[in-house]
Amino acid sequence: MTQPQEDRLNQLIGRMLGDLGGAFSVPTVRMGLRLGLFEALHTHGPLPAEALAQKAGGLAPRYVREWALAQSANGYIDYDAEREVFSLSPEQAMIFVVKDSPVYLAGAFDLVAAMIEGEPKVENSFRTGDGVRWGDSAGCLFCATGAFFRPGYVNNIVQQWLPALEGVTEKLESGAKVADVGCGVGFSTLLMAKAFPKSSFIGYDFHEPSITAAREHAREHKLGDQVRFECRTAKTIGETGFDLVTSFDCLHDMGDPRGCAKQVRRMLKENGTWMIVEPIAGDRAKDNMNPVGRLYYNASTMICVPTSLDQEVGEGLGAQAGQAKLTEVIREGGFTSIKRATEGPFNMVIEARA
Ligand SMILES: C[S@@+](CC[C@H](N)C(=O)[O-])C[C@H]1O[C@@H](n2cnc3c(N)ncnc32)[C@H](O)[C@@H]1O
């Protein structure tokens, strides 16, 4: 066995220190979000711990001081040691307070907690090779997933992704029929519906609690007449005549993505479009050894692969399937024109037409 080299070891330890600091911050950040501590700093400006505790609804000051020092050490809030006050910068507010900011990360922290909760079931699946049903690994996997993706959707679907597709925005403006397959809690469906009031939308997902939450969100936004949500596996959707089908961050989660592609082909009008939003990835695993690939491979191990392996066929594409593999899957559905319409730091948007 070769001996450890001191400089390489020190480098790795330095990295672990940062990584573990991030991991240790997950529970304190989540509590700070739920208890309204970030929000109170944002609303009331710089505060000493005692006042922060009071502004956040009368919390125990000793806990709040320790929390505030932890967040200061994290760099998630600022600490003025002279005046003993804590504050939130505009950039920190974008991460922890402003829900429609493109970098609002509350959902990401919840997703980490859901992955930890899911450990026993996924660990068992490593031994058996079985899958874990979507939603079974953790109570709030589905709501955390919705919250995790929402900031990206709020800032991209209507502004960037739909306009990148050929002729689709025009159809939506004049009134189109749209299906959002694998819609989860429905944020993507509702965002599109709000932006295109003349179009009608049906969100489909096979997870009943997600569909229940999606229906509630539609009611809250008073979009009940324009949007309907149905509990269905992708392959059993019977409705046809769609101008546009969308699938956001879900094709790779399906057990039979090729079967889904065939079904979407049947659902679409002859000149219809399928927009597939998938995690950005290179075609070779070695292209994904980067911070984004790191997040996705970890989430894929805990969520995407188990979900797919639980279903019929169990293709197990994984979150980092890459465009070439996805194109092959989509082509099997009978699509001949398949291209990357646009991309962002976390997603690629694939346009498929017959
Ligand atoms: C990562 S989540 C994305 C949800 C939603 N599109 C979003 O972006 O927030 C994957 C979704 O795919 C759904 N799903 C997985 N396999 C499915 C299938 N075979 N048919 C329908 N939905 C499926 C899950 O229930 C889950 O809601």
Side-chain angles (χ1 to χ4, degrees), residues 45-78:
L47 292 170
E50 187 109 357
L52 173 58
Q54 196 243 322
K55 295 284 187 199
L59 302 176
R62 181 65 193 93
Y63 279 106
V64 171
R65 179 175 157 73
E66 209 67 4
W67 176 88
L69 290 169
Q71 300 321 314
S72 304
N74 285 335
Y76 299 167
I77 70 174
D78 290 333

Side-chain angles (χ1 to χ4, degrees), residues 13 38 41 45 48 76 112 138 143 146-147 150 159-160 175 203 228 261 276 293 299 311 314 325 327-328 350:
I13 289 171
F38 291 106
L41 284 176
Y76 299 167
V112 177
C143 38
R150 185 182 172 279
Q159 303 87 328
Q160 318 285 344
R228 131 174 153 242
I276 306 109
Q311 300 179 35
K325 184 76 182 176
T327 300
E328 178 209 312
I350 298 174

Side-chain angles (χ1 to χ4, degrees), residues 147-302:
F148 174 70
F149 286 124
R150 185 182 172 279
Y153 295 169
V154 170
N155 289 280
N156 288 296
I157 293 181
V158 173
Q159 303 87 328
Q160 318 285 344
W161 296 345
L162 290 171
L165 309 175
E166 237 177 274
V168 166
T169 309
E170 293 79 352
K171 285 189 197 172
L172 289 168
E173 271 160 2
S174 55
K177 182 174 167 184
V178 183
D180 189 6
V181 175
C183 65
V185 297
F187 290 143
S188 50
T189 330
L190 298 174
L191 280 163
M192 293 189 287
K194 238 183 194 163
F196 300 103
K198 289 191 185 153
S199 292
S200 62
F201 295 80
I202 310 175
Y204 297 101
D205 199 286
F206 78 162
H207 183 241
E208 185 85 54
S210 293
I211 288 297
T212 303
R215 287 179 182 146
E216 270 164 34
H217 293 147
R219 264 195 300 277
E220 276 163 32
H221 290 272
K222 302 194 181 3
L223 288 166
D225 292 342
Q226 200 193 342
V227 185
R228 131 174 153 242
F229 289 102
E230 285 189 17
C231 194
R232 291 248 187 296
T233 50
K235 277 171 64 179
T236 61
I237 299 170
E239 183 119 7
T240 57
F242 291 95
D243 298 285
L244 172 68
V245 173
T246 58
S247 301
F248 293 94
D249 284 295
C250 62
L251 186 63
H252 66 270
D253 291 308
M254 294 186 187
D256 185 8
R258 295 166 202 268
C260 169
K262 287 181 190 139
Q263 190 65 24
V264 172
R265 179 67 194 89
R266 282 191 281 271
M267 290 164 68
L268 280 169
K269 285 182 184 164
E270 208 39 53
N271 60 349
T273 302
W274 185 18
M275 175 170 81
I276 306 109
V277 175
E278 279 288 303
I280 192 121
D283 288 327
R284 300 163 307 177
K286 69 175 186 176
D287 300 331
N288 303 322
M289 299 297 128
N290 54 54
V292 174
R294 179 186 183 189
L295 285 180
Y296 281 137
Y297 274 126
N298 280 287
S300 187
T301 308
M302 298 307 294

